[in-house]
Amino acid sequence: MEIHQVKQALVLTSRLEDLGHLPIKVLKSLSTGATLVAMDPIDVKPGDWVFTIANSAARDAAGDKRLLTDLTVGGIIDDWQPE
Amino acid sequence: MEIHQVKQALVLTSRLEDLGHLPIKVLKSLSTGATLVAMDPIDVKPGDWVFTIANSAARDAAGDKRLLTDLTVGGIIDDWQPE
Amino acid sequence: MEIHQVKQALVLTSRLEDLGHLPIKVLKSLSTGATLVAMDPIDVKPGDWVFTIANSAARDAAGDKRLLTDLTVGGIIDDWQPE
Amino acid sequence: MEIHQVKQALVLTSRLEDLGHLPIKVLKSLSTGATLVAMDPIDVKPGDWVFTIANSAARDAAGDKRLLTDLTVGGIIDDWQPE
Amino acid sequence: MEIHQVKQALVLTSRLEDLGHLPIKVLKSLSTGATLVAMDPIDVKPGDWVFTIANSAARDAAGDKRLLTDLTVGGIIDDWQPE
């Protein structure tokens, strides 16, 4: 799993049906600064530090293994102090 | 999931049968600038900003889990402003 | 598998239920210096050098393939001397 | 999927049985310059630009999901002009 | 698949049971110089150039899909001349 900071919700003009109804969030990686996109079953807010779960476990983490995700928010980190 | 900009369609002279009939697009990664290739079930256009779904979910995203893909376009992002 | 050094336990204020009850640890990658997060079925301590198992094998390594992990501690390395 | 240029065939002195009888090729990544190894069901030649399919789809792409591959050549790209 | 050079065996003071009895080797990546860890069903020696198989195919490559590995040695490369 990796640590990310939440930036914003992602607004889509066109999307696949099996993305379901969970919000999709834009995240920034702690380690690389890369911008990534994750499903969010926890309702995280911009500025929150979260950890994310990738690949097959991401689908179960989203609550339904048919959901089309490879990255899902798994929890909010308490009082993270980036170095 | 990651954010990419669509560059062009990929023209193939020889391909495996189970690639199916979806268009295959060349994408450029927002985070790394890397060139990647994805199946496109949405019909995206050059210049569009899209997000992509990787690995096992990519096959379901393409509409048939027998399809040979590890990266599929999942949606078009509205009004993306790259930094 | 990769080699990591254990930094600390991860404290979560909100988490998905299927994360189970194993401790979750913050690790630092030997190769890249990146910060990662892993489930810990072995009870490793800060400063330990460990190797980690990723993706589908990570779920079995955590002891239950329903657990939501993509990275699990697999063993403690004896007397590792980083270069 | 990613774009690679074919360098040469890989000659092995010892190999696992379930690698099957497809040729194994050394490829160079367009994006990173990294050297990778892929199964080749298409019979590509040194200098060809190809795209490759990774992970679980790579096994189906090789024609038999028991084959031990995580990267398989999926098609030859027509008239690729690297930038 | 990727190309690695074998460095040494990995000595573990504590390990999960389902790692089985295959030796575990420390490898150095040809492309990135990164240090990785792989199961070794072939009995490779320090200095050997090998190619490795990742993710789900790694488990079958180790001879038993219950084994906890995400990287397994797949063959010894004949007369590899690193550039």
Side-chain angles (χ1 to χ4, degrees):
Chain A
M1 289 82 82
E2 300 198 20
I3 295 174
H4 293 92
Q5 191 172 34
V6 181
K7 306 307 285 182
Q8 61 188 85
L10 189 69
V11 181
L12 299 170
T13 54
S14 169
R15 55 191 271 168
L16 297 174
E17 277 187 24
D18 288 339
L19 286 168
H21 296 291
L22 288 177
I24 296 178
K25 298 288 170 66
V26 180
L27 308 179
K28 185 172 180 176
S29 165
L30 170 68
S31 287
T32 67
T35 298
L36 293 167
V37 175
M39 280 200 183
D40 172 17
I42 291 180
D43 193 25
V44 296
K45 306 298 182 200
D48 283 348
W49 287 94
V50 300
F51 82 96
T52 53
I53 303 167
N55 295 327
S56 71
R59 305 181 81 173
D60 288 323
D64 181 336
K65 66 176 57 191
R66 291 168 303 181
L67 285 173
L68 299 176
T69 177
D70 63 33
L71 193 72
T72 301
V73 176
I76 301 175
I77 301 171
D78 186 37
D79 193 30
W80 179 258
Q81 303 295 343
E83 294 168 35
Chain B
M1 289 83 82
E2 299 198 20
I3 295 175
H4 293 94
Q5 190 171 35
V6 181
K7 306 308 284 182
Q8 61 188 86
L10 189 70
V11 181
L12 298 170
T13 54
S14 170
R15 55 190 269 169
L16 298 174
E17 277 187 24
D18 287 340
L19 285 167
H21 296 292
L22 289 177
I24 295 177
K25 298 289 170 65
V26 180
L27 309 179
K28 185 172 180 175
S29 166
L30 170 68
S31 288
T32 67
T35 298
L36 293 168
V37 174
M39 279 200 185
D40 173 18
I42 292 179
D43 194 24
V44 297
K45 307 297 182 201
D48 284 349
W49 288 93
V50 300
F51 82 96
T52 54
I53 303 166
N55 294 329
S56 71
R59 306 181 80 174
D60 289 323
D64 181 337
K65 66 175 58 188
R66 291 168 303 180
L67 285 173
L68 299 176
T69 178
D70 63 34
L71 194 71
T72 301
V73 176
I76 300 174
I77 301 171
D78 187 37
D79 193 31
W80 179 259
Q81 303 295 342
E83 294 169 34
Chain C
M1 289 83 81
E2 299 198 21
I3 295 174
H4 293 92
Q5 191 172 34
V6 182
K7 306 307 284 182
Q8 61 187 87
L10 189 69
V11 181
L12 298 170
T13 54
S14 169
R15 54 191 271 168
L16 297 173
E17 276 187 26
D18 287 341
L19 286 168
H21 296 293
L22 288 178
I24 296 179
K25 298 287 170 66
V26 180
L27 308 180
K28 185 171 181 178
S29 166
L30 170 68
S31 288
T32 67
T35 298
L36 293 167
V37 175
M39 278 200 185
D40 172 17
I42 290 180
D43 193 23
V44 296
K45 307 298 183 200
D48 282 349
W49 287 93
V50 300
F51 82 97
T52 53
I53 303 166
N55 295 327
S56 71
R59 304 182 82 173
D60 288 324
D64 182 337
K65 66 176 57 192
R66 292 168 301 180
L67 285 173
L68 299 176
T69 178
D70 63 33
L71 194 71
T72 301
V73 175
I76 301 175
I77 301 171
D78 187 36
D79 193 29
W80 179 259
Q81 303 295 343
E83 293 169 36
Chain D
M1 289 83 81
E2 299 198 19
I3 295 174
H4 293 94
Q5 190 171 35
V6 182
K7 306 307 286 182
Q8 62 188 85
L10 188 70
V11 181
L12 298 171
T13 53
S14 169
R15 54 191 271 167
L16 297 174
E17 277 188 24
D18 287 341
L19 286 168
H21 297 292
L22 289 176
I24 295 178
K25 298 288 171 66
V26 180
L27 309 179
K28 185 172 179 176
S29 165
L30 170 68
S31 288
T32 66
T35 298
L36 293 168
V37 174
M39 278 199 186
D40 172 17
I42 291 179
D43 194 23
V44 297
K45 307 299 183 199
D48 283 348
W49 288 92
V50 300
F51 82 97
T52 53
I53 303 166
N55 294 329
S56 72
R59 304 182 81 174
D60 289 323
D64 181 337
K65 66 176 58 190
R66 291 168 302 179
L67 285 173
L68 299 177
T69 178
D70 63 32
L71 194 71
T72 301
V73 176
I76 300 175
I77 301 170
D78 187 37
D79 194 28
W80 180 258
Q81 303 294 343
E83 293 169 33
Chain E
M1 289 82 81
E2 299 198 19
I3 295 174
H4 293 94
Q5 191 172 34
V6 182
K7 307 307 285 182
Q8 61 187 87
L10 189 68
V11 181
L12 298 170
T13 54
S14 169
R15 55 191 271 167
L16 298 174
E17 276 187 25
D18 287 341
L19 285 168
H21 297 291
L22 289 176
I24 296 179
K25 298 288 171 66
V26 180
L27 308 179
K28 184 171 180 177
S29 165
L30 171 68
S31 287
T32 65
T35 298
L36 293 167
V37 174
M39 278 200 186
D40 172 17
I42 291 179
D43 194 23
V44 297
K45 307 299 181 200
D48 283 349
W49 287 93
V50 300
F51 82 98
T52 53
I53 303 165
N55 294 329
S56 72
R59 303 181 82 173
D60 289 323
D64 181 337
K65 67 176 58 190
R66 291 168 303 179
L67 285 173
L68 299 176
T69 178
D70 63 33
L71 194 71
T72 301
V73 176
I76 300 174
I77 301 171
D78 187 36
D79 193 30
W80 180 260
Q81 302 296 341
E83 293 168 35

